[in-house]
Amino acid sequence: MKLYQIYQEHQLDFIRFANSLTHQMTQAEDLVQEAYLKALDQDELFDSLSGQQIKGWFFTTIRNRFIDDRRKQSRLVAFTPEHSGNHTPDFDSATFIQQTLALLNEQERSLVSMRYIQGYNSSEIAEKLSMNPSTVRNKLSQGINRIRTNMLKEGHHDWN
């Protein structure tokens, strides 16, 4: 009950803080909602915290989620055609994607597809495949390096 009361009392403060980060009200509301859902999942954590500590937890969680989203977005931008140089194949082409994935072994192909096509993060992939998240990241790195090496061999030097 304490968590809900703190959330209700300071919800507008949380939204204002999130809006100061995103400069978009809908994204701000999403960040606050995600923080509240995370709090509900960790309900027992708040039994021993004071109201101020819970409020601080919300602000920290909102900020961290914003940073995570920005980092994820910056990685996605790096793979768009307008940021990749003149010799980059059409990333929207199903043929290019199939040819690129064909360079990988079955496990790498599955992991790269789940990560970059389906949008799962390494923790989600690890959970689905009963693997360690660090193993998933390592295998993804190997797959991306294999693609990069092949692209460089074909003369696409803008992939360094």
Side-chain angles (χ1 to χ4, degrees):
M1 186 62 141
K2 184 166 133 180
L3 172 65
Y4 179 73
Q5 290 171 338
I6 298 294
Y7 177 76
Q8 284 296 87
E9 186 176 328
H10 298 287
Q11 182 180 13
L12 291 177
D13 294 332
F14 300 147
I15 291 173
R16 278 192 289 271
F17 174 69
N19 192 38
S20 74
L21 297 171
T22 65
H23 303 290
Q24 293 184 348
M25 187 56 78
T26 56
Q27 286 181 339
E29 290 168 347
D30 288 346
L31 284 174
V32 172
Q33 183 179 20
E34 289 170 8
Y36 186 63
L37 290 174
K38 185 174 181 176
L40 290 176
D41 285 342
Q42 301 176 0
D43 191 31
E44 66 282 349
L45 169 73
F46 301 103
D47 292 338
S48 62
L49 298 180
S50 70
Q52 281 300 106
Q53 289 172 319
I54 293 172
K55 186 177 173 184
W57 181 92
F58 269 100
F59 284 119
T60 301
T61 302
I62 290 166
R63 185 197 66 215
N64 289 345
R65 181 59 195 218
F66 171 74
I67 291 169
D68 289 346
D69 288 348
R70 283 291 167 120
R71 286 179 180 156
K72 184 176 183 179
Q73 191 65 23
S74 70
R75 285 191 306 267
L76 293 176
V77 169
F79 289 106
T80 59
E82 59 270 8
H83 291 91
S84 325
N86 296 333
H87 301 292
T88 304
D90 180 9
F91 281 102
D92 294 329
S93 167
T95 304
F96 172 73
I97 293 171
Q98 288 174 348
Q99 289 172 345
T100 302
L101 291 177
L103 300 169
L104 307 175
N105 65 41
E106 186 175 336
Q107 184 182 42
E108 290 169 340
R109 186 174 26 256
S110 174
L111 293 173
V112 168
S113 175
M114 290 177 81
R115 175 66 182 99
Y116 295 105
I117 296 173
Q118 297 172 21
Y120 293 107
N121 65 38
S122 59
S123 297
E124 294 168 332
I125 295 169
E127 186 177 317
K128 288 182 180 293
L129 300 178
S130 300
M131 296 174 72
N132 188 318
S134 63
T135 303
V136 169
R137 288 188 293 273
N138 185 34
K139 297 290 184 183
L140 280 168
S141 178
Q142 290 172 359
I144 296 301
N145 285 336
R146 188 183 313 246
I147 291 169
R148 182 179 290 119
T149 300
N150 188 62
M151 296 293 287
L152 291 171
K153 283 180 187 174
E154 291 182 9
H156 300 286
H157 299 289
D158 50 338
W159 274 71
N160 282 328

